[in-house]
Amino acid sequence: EVIATYIESLESQIKQLSEKLQVLESRLNQNSRNSSKPPSTDFFVKGKPNPKSLRKKSEKNPGGQEGHPGTTLKMVDNPD
């Protein structure tokens, strides 16, 4: 009889602990996407990777055309 009551108390304790575990796991699974929490509270979230450009690097050299004499503005004594 003592063993039966002890087993019943252990079963009730297991039930309480499993309910508490479910509550804690559901709270842990919440993030800013599926709750009203701000994104700053998210941690260990693997989001989308940063986008990478699909453009290819040009084979042309930067600057003007070869052989073209460039012009630059000269310094003046009295700027506007």
Side-chain angles (χ1 to χ4, degrees):
E1 187 175 310
V2 174
I3 295 175
T5 57
Y6 182 68
I7 290 175
E8 288 177 5
S9 69
L10 288 177
E11 287 176 346
S12 67
Q13 188 176 10
I14 289 172
K15 185 178 178 182
Q16 288 175 349
L17 289 175
S18 64
E19 289 173 357
K20 189 172 184 178
L21 180 65
Q22 275 184 331
V23 169
L24 291 175
E25 283 180 341
S26 68
R27 198 180 297 170
L28 183 64
N29 289 333
Q30 288 185 345
N31 59 22
S32 63
R33 291 179 181 247
N34 58 12
S35 69
S36 61
K37 294 169 66 175
S40 61
T41 60
D42 289 348
F43 55 93
F44 303 120
V45 175
K46 292 184 179 180
K48 294 180 180 178
N50 291 336
K52 294 187 178 178
S53 178
L54 298 176
R55 290 184 169 188
K56 305 289 186 229
K57 186 174 178 179
S58 175
E59 296 177 9
K60 298 180 181 178
N61 292 330
Q65 295 180 349
E66 290 186 30
H68 180 38
T71 58
T72 55
L73 293 174
K74 307 284 185 207
M75 292 186 73
V76 294
D77 294 332
N78 191 8
D80 290 337

